[in-house]
Amino acid sequence: MIPMEQRTLGRTGRDVSVVGQGTWQLGGDWGEVAEDDAFDVLDAAVASGVTFFDTADVYGDGRSEQLIGRYLKNRPDADVFVATKMGRRADQVPENYVLDNFRAWNDRSRANLGTDTLDLVQLHCPPSSVYSSDAVYDALDTLVAEERIAAYAVSVETCAEALTAIARPGVASVQIILNPFRLKPLDEVLPAAAAAGVGIIARVPLASGLLSGKYTKDTVFGPEDHRTYNRHGEAFDQGETFSGIDYATGVAAAAEFAELAPQGATPAQTALRWIIQQPGVTSVIPGARSVEQTRAPDGAARGGPVPHKKHVCRGVE
C-alpha cells in the first residue's frame, strides 16, 4: 500500500498524516462505543497509515484520552502524534484560563494518556478574549518550559479568533471547522497560517456526517447524540453540529455536493480530498465509531484532485 502523505504540523516540527483520526466519537457524544470497538477503530486508523490522533479532555469526560492511552501502551510500535485539548470542563469564563488550572488540566490529561509530556495541547474554543491575553500565552510557555507539553495550539470557532492566535509566535497550529459548507477560512485564515508557518487542522470535515451522503431529512439520531440535542446550540456552539447549518438545508446541499464526486469515489472521500488539497491545510480529522467508517477516508488521502468549486453556505463562519 502506498504510504499516506505526511505534512509538517506547523511549529511543532513534527510530520503527521494528511488524514488524522478524530476521537470525539469514542467519548460517547455520538452514541455508545464499546471499548473493544474503540480499539478496533484506532487499530484500523494506524493500519491505514494514520499517524495523528486528535482528542480532548472533555470527550466522554476523559474516556477518549484514556482509550488512546491504553491503546498506545499496547502498541509501542505505533508512531502516533497525539493532540489533546483543555478548558471545556470548566466554566467558560476568562478567569479560569490561568497557569494553576492549566497545570491541573494537564496533569489529568497526562495521566489519561499515560505520558509525561503531551505532544500538543490546544485551548478548546475558550471565550474570545482568551486568545488576546498575554498572560495566557505566558502560562502556556511555562508549560513548555516545565516539559508538561511539547507544544501548544488553539481550537477556534471563528476566523477572527484564528487570526488573533496565528499572530502569536508560540502557537503551533490552529484547529478550525473547514468543509465544503464552511468556506470562510479559505479567504484569510489559511493564507495567514501558511505565511506564519502555523499548521491547520480541519475539523468537522463532513459536517457531522452530512457530507457522507448517508442521511435524509427523515433520519433520526439517538437522544444521546449531539446531532439530536445540539442542533440549535443548546449544549455548545452550534457550529460543531452540522457546521451550524439547518439540518434540512444541509441534507439538500449534501445531495447536490455528492454529484461532484469523481467516478469511484464516495461523497465523503470527495469532501475530505477537497479539504486536503486546500493550500495551508496540514491534516483533516474525520471521526469514526466503527472500523468501516475508519477505513472509508483512506481513499481521500491517496486520491486525485477534485473540482475547486466553491459550494453552499459561504456566509457561515
Side-chain angles (χ1 to χ4, degrees):
M1 184 173 62
I2 300 172
M4 190 178 294
E5 180 186 351
Q6 307 284 309
R7 296 177 181 173
T8 302
L9 182 57
R11 293 166 176 157
T12 69
R14 290 281 301 272
D15 288 346
V16 300
S17 51
V18 292
V19 175
Q21 185 63 56
T23 63
W24 185 7
Q25 284 84 344
L26 304 188
D29 290 320
W30 300 67
E32 185 176 352
V33 178
E35 183 171 306
D36 286 346
D37 291 338
F39 290 152
D40 287 344
V41 164
L42 298 177
D43 213 33
V46 171
S48 70
V50 167
T51 62
F52 179 43
F53 291 167
D54 178 82
T55 185
D57 60 3
V58 76
Y59 296 165
D61 197 25
R63 182 175 190 257
S64 176
E65 288 183 328
Q66 292 165 8
L67 290 169
I68 290 171
R70 291 201 292 275
Y71 173 77
L72 293 178
K73 182 179 180 180
N74 293 327
R75 283 293 310 272
D77 59 310
D79 182 20
V80 176
F81 183 91
V82 180
T84 191
K85 308 181 196 74
M86 66 178 182
R88 299 298 295 186
R89 295 178 66 253
D91 291 339
Q92 291 303 286
V93 294
E95 293 77 17
N96 277 335
Y97 287 79
V98 295
L99 180 58
D100 284 347
N101 285 344
F102 288 177
R103 286 175 173 147
W105 299 341
N106 280 183
D107 286 347
R108 186 174 184 271
S109 289
R110 291 190 300 157
N112 285 342
L113 287 163
T115 185
D116 292 330
T117 303
L118 299 167
D119 292 336
L120 181 69
V121 171
Q122 304 159 100
L123 296 180
H124 198 175
C125 302
S128 291
S129 61
V130 169
Y131 298 99
S132 301
S133 169
D134 291 342
V136 166
Y137 294 101
D138 288 344
L140 292 169
D141 287 334
T142 298
L143 298 180
V144 174
E146 293 175 346
E147 298 185 351
R148 292 170 176 268
I149 66 176
Y152 61 83
V154 298
S155 183
V156 303
E157 296 289 2
T158 70
C159 292
E161 291 169 346
L163 292 169
T164 298
I166 288 168
R168 295 285 178 160
V171 171
S173 60
V174 168
Q175 185 171 144
I176 192 167
I177 299 174
L178 175 64
N179 60 52
F181 291 172
R182 189 90 163 210
L183 303 176
K184 193 170 182 180
L186 302 181
D187 294 334
E188 295 184 75
V189 174
L190 267 59
V198 171
I200 291 289
I201 302 167
R203 78 172 189 276
V204 197
L206 300 180
S208 304
L210 276 178
L211 284 163
S212 70
K214 297 188 302 181
Y215 304 135
T216 72
K217 62 182 179 61
D218 299 318
T219 300
V220 176
F221 302 95
E224 74 284 2
D225 192 315
H226 74 99
R227 292 173 293 185
T228 294
Y229 66 76
N230 194 59
R231 290 196 180 190
H232 305 289
E234 296 92 334
F236 41 81
D237 190 273
Q238 185 178 355
E240 304 290 342
T241 302
F242 301 128
S243 295
I245 302 166
D246 170 73
Y247 181 70
T249 300
V251 168
E256 185 180 348
F257 178 82
E259 296 177 1
L260 298 176
Q263 185 174 3
T266 67
Q269 289 171 335
T270 302
L272 295 175
R273 190 65 199 168
W274 180 88
I275 296 169
I276 291 168
Q277 72 186 28
Q278 301 307 317
V281 170
T282 308
S283 186
V284 59
I285 50 170
R289 296 176 56 206
S290 69
V291 170
E292 181 182 12
Q293 291 175 343
T294 305
R295 289 174 177 159
D298 186 50
R302 298 176 174 85
V306 297
H308 277 273
K309 182 177 179 181
K310 291 190 175 181
H311 215 54
V312 296
C313 300
R314 183 166 177 75
V316 179
E317 181 178 359

